[in-house]
Amino acid sequence: MSAREATAPEAAAPGPAFGPLLREMRLGKSLTMEALAEASGVSVRGIGDLERGRRAAPQRRTVAALADGLGLDDAERERLLAAARAGRTPGYSPLGVRSFPRGTDDFVGRVDELTRLEALAGPPARDGAEDRAPGAGAAATEPHPVVVAIHGPPGTGKTTLALRAARRLADRFPDGQLMMDLRGTDDSPPAPSELMVRVLKAVGVPDRDLAKAGAQAHPALYRQVLADRRCLLVLDNARDETQVRPLLPGSGGTLVLVTSRRMLTGLDDVHRLSLGPLEPAESAAFLASLVGADRAAAEPRALEEVARLCAHLPLALRVAGNWLATRTGWSVRRLADRLAGEERRLDMLSAGDVRVAGAFYLSYRQLTPTAARLFRRLSLVPGPDVSAACAARLTGQDLYDAEDALEELVEAGLLGGGDDRYRLHDLLCLYGRDRLLAEDGEADIDRARRSMFRWLLETAVVAGRWYEPGHGAPPRSWRGTVDLSSADRARDWLQAESANWLAALHAAAADGDHTTVVEVAEALHWFSDQWMFWGHWPEVFGASARSAEALGDPLLEATHLNYYAWALLLCEGRPRDSLPYSARGLAAAERAGDLAQQAWAHLYAAWAHHLLGETDRFAGHTTDALALFQAAGDLHGTLQALAARSWQLREAGRHEEAIEASRQILTRLDEADDGVEPHIAAFTRVTALADAGICYSRLGRWDEAVEHLRASVELSRKEGNVGLESRYLLSLGDVLRQAGRTAEARDAYARCVALGPDADARRIAAARARLADLDTG
């Protein structure tokens, strides 16, 4: 740290302390603190702090305001000013002290963060405005310090941001701008007492004054020196709250920027600024600034790939950019190809003495053994994030102990947290995997992975059965570590952990655990209707169909071939590709002598032919499906076949009959009451209402059409079935548009577009195109 020493001038003869003198004058004028505050514009709290000596002395502007409020004559005013001057630390003037290192010229991004820091710093000081504090408005007269804790994982550019902000804000803090490296990742970082002395020396406090005061008086001297100054203090790389807390001024106009890998949760009355990776466009711009605009423009896709493989982490981007800048014979594509291999990516991300893995190690070595073990094992999680319950299975901890370890990782900046999910940054995941292979035995790693996968699949079965006829809530004997007390909670878990349980299912299939694969897929069969456009149902049911064939049971084979046909047909919109599987499902069902699965095979074939416009085959399979479901006594299947019958009548132009068929479905649902699984009943009701609405529109009966389609959309929304909601919002928009109700149609299309990734992508695209049509007239 830079320091500037100044010689203290001779101290003036001691006079009365400012606080007692102010109190004496106020009482002499028969004024309360409130009355003086109103007359002077200085806050009641500020006056109280001055009178009690909590603040050594105010700036000249505040003294003038108090003198005006007291109505002092010239002699009294000079006496009050002299007391204020005497109360200030003599001879310590850090004006012009700056200790910021170089290295921020190629700064990119962080616009929102810089804007926030500028707002917290307050407007630039004007002449006579010494007492305006950072972040204060025009009416403020009493300065107060502002502390900003900038935290984030290693390599996110916390120091770079602080330096960039400090350079931009330096002129607002004329009494000095200082930066200190707190060396928080060292084995023995400097103590607060040592750091205080460094600051005091930097602002010009002579060694003789420090020695005279003694170590015990340094904290008070530190607070006094900063109390009446506008300084900018950057405390870089803080270890923890204990190191930082004594360095935070209690009064005055100082802005303190604290950077730390830790969140410093224990600090009170601070503004927090969390840093993560850069945005993709910012990453590309940063790399371009390092490798040169021409080189970047020649290989834009390779540059974007390098940024992605660096996980948009500023430190990794800088290393990659410097690597290319010093190897002009390398193409950007060559580096991207080198980084593509996960096993050597961290080794490649080193340039000279700067290593991304080295930055991670500094944080990793400070973890407790329990947290370090969990950090390593989190690299086994296949998905982008994980719950505490899943993490507990990796280490064999109980849930509460696992949560404590996870929060330690979050506090250390090695793990992201939010909404009860925890996310390991891509490069940190690779580092955790390296540590896992180096520190954990192969048998332990395999045991941890299998334990996690087994738990994921067992929980998926229990959650999925909320939607299966004859199951519902978990059995009394189930002792799970997640809350599956309702169908909505079960759906939330299945969706949140989908990437993880899907990977576990693939692992079970690869291990030849066909019974488990079939059990999981069976449990998720009706749930799949609730999340139709997730995108991975063909993987789930394709795996279960192969496992069913391997088990040699024709009924299982028929069932899961039918599920796979459904996934290809409706989830991926591949009706032609689905037909061979429904045909194979029909053949297997006939071998098993199972009427219900024969009916489902016919129904899926009917839907495929319907989408392909093959009317005769559609009608034939629909008739066969309805007859077989009724013969099997399968009410759930019968309702779906009746829905197909309604479509058949509609496509034949027999709209009144189709409306009647939909009414029959609704009537049977009402009569069946609890005889139909609630989620299947809701799904069927949504479809029947929408079909009736479309038929009414074909008859030009617009009000009835809109009424039925709105009811269908609202029921879809209530049930959380975004796939169906997107389908029928598009239909509603089309009907409203045909009815000449353009504004309402626009609203329906806009709602469809806004539904997000769980909606039918084809309907979203269509709704977006319809909106464009409306915009262009």
Side-chain angles (χ1 to χ4, degrees), residues 643 646-647 650 655-666 684-709 712 728 735:
S646 173
W647 304 343
R650 184 183 71 199
H655 302 305
E656 294 284 3
E657 295 176 71
I659 291 171
E660 182 57 34
S662 294
R663 284 184 186 145
Q664 289 178 15
I665 295 172
L666 296 172
T684 307
R685 191 179 297 275
V686 164
T687 303
L689 286 167
D691 290 343
I694 293 170
C695 288
Y696 278 123
S697 73
R698 301 271 176 92
L699 295 170
R701 294 161 63 174
W702 303 114
D703 289 344
E704 292 163 292
V706 170
E707 177 187 354
H708 281 74
L709 282 166
S712 175
Y728 296 127
V735 168

Side-chain angles (χ1 to χ4, degrees), residues 7-90:
T7 302
E10 292 297 324
F18 182 85
L21 179 60
L22 176 62
R23 177 178 172 80
E24 175 189 323
M25 290 180 167
R26 177 175 63 78
L27 293 177
K29 300 291 185 179
S30 300
L31 292 174
T32 64
M33 284 189 191
E34 289 78 7
L36 179 55
E38 184 175 354
S40 65
V42 179
S43 68
V44 173
R45 179 179 176 181
I47 294 171
D49 286 345
L50 289 167
E51 289 189 358
R52 296 182 184 93
R54 292 177 180 171
R55 182 178 169 208
Q59 292 293 318
R60 184 181 184 86
R61 178 188 177 195
T62 303
V63 178
L66 291 168
D68 290 343
L70 290 166
L72 301 181
D73 59 27
D74 291 345
E76 290 173 319
R77 179 184 293 266
E78 182 55 38
R79 186 181 175 204
L80 191 63
L81 284 168
R85 287 193 296 269
R88 296 185 184 126
T89 307

Side-chain angles (χ1 to χ4, degrees), residues 732-753:
L732 174 62
D734 288 344
V735 168
L736 287 166
R737 189 177 180 186
Q738 292 166 25
R741 295 158 65 171
T742 306
E744 294 173 81
R746 183 187 298 277
D747 178 68
Y749 293 143
R751 285 175 59 191
C752 183
V753 167

Side-chain angles (χ1 to χ4, degrees), residues 420-434:
D420 297 323
R421 307 289 298 175
Y422 297 88
R423 185 183 185 97
L424 199 61
H425 186 278
D426 290 350
L427 292 180
L428 279 168
C429 186
L430 292 180
Y431 180 73
R433 191 177 304 167
D434 286 349

Side-chain angles (χ1 to χ4, degrees), residues 241 261-266 406-413:
E241 296 91 337
R261 299 178 178 208
R262 306 185 68 84
M263 296 178 71
L264 304 178
T265 306
L406 287 165
E407 289 303 322
E408 180 182 341
L409 294 174
V410 172
E411 180 69 27

Side-chain angles (χ1 to χ4, degrees), residues 513-591:
D513 188 359
H514 302 303
T515 301
T516 296
V517 173
V518 168
E519 181 186 22
V520 173
E522 182 62 43
L524 297 174
H525 163 226
W526 281 102
F527 169 73
S528 61
D529 279 330
Q530 305 295 315
W531 198 24
M532 193 179 304
F533 299 105
W534 169 41
H536 298 283
W537 292 119
E539 296 176 56
V540 173
F541 296 126
S544 69
R546 291 187 292 273
S547 287
E549 288 179 314
L551 290 171
D553 183 328
L555 179 55
L556 286 178
E557 185 179 340
T559 301
H560 290 273
L561 282 167
N562 281 334
Y563 293 165
Y564 188 40
W566 169 86
L568 293 173
L569 169 68
L570 294 181
C571 300
E572 292 202 342
R574 295 162 55 190
R576 184 70 69 191
D577 293 338
S578 76
L579 285 170
Y581 295 100
S582 57
R584 287 168 57 188
L586 177 60
E590 288 172 343
R591 291 200 307 274

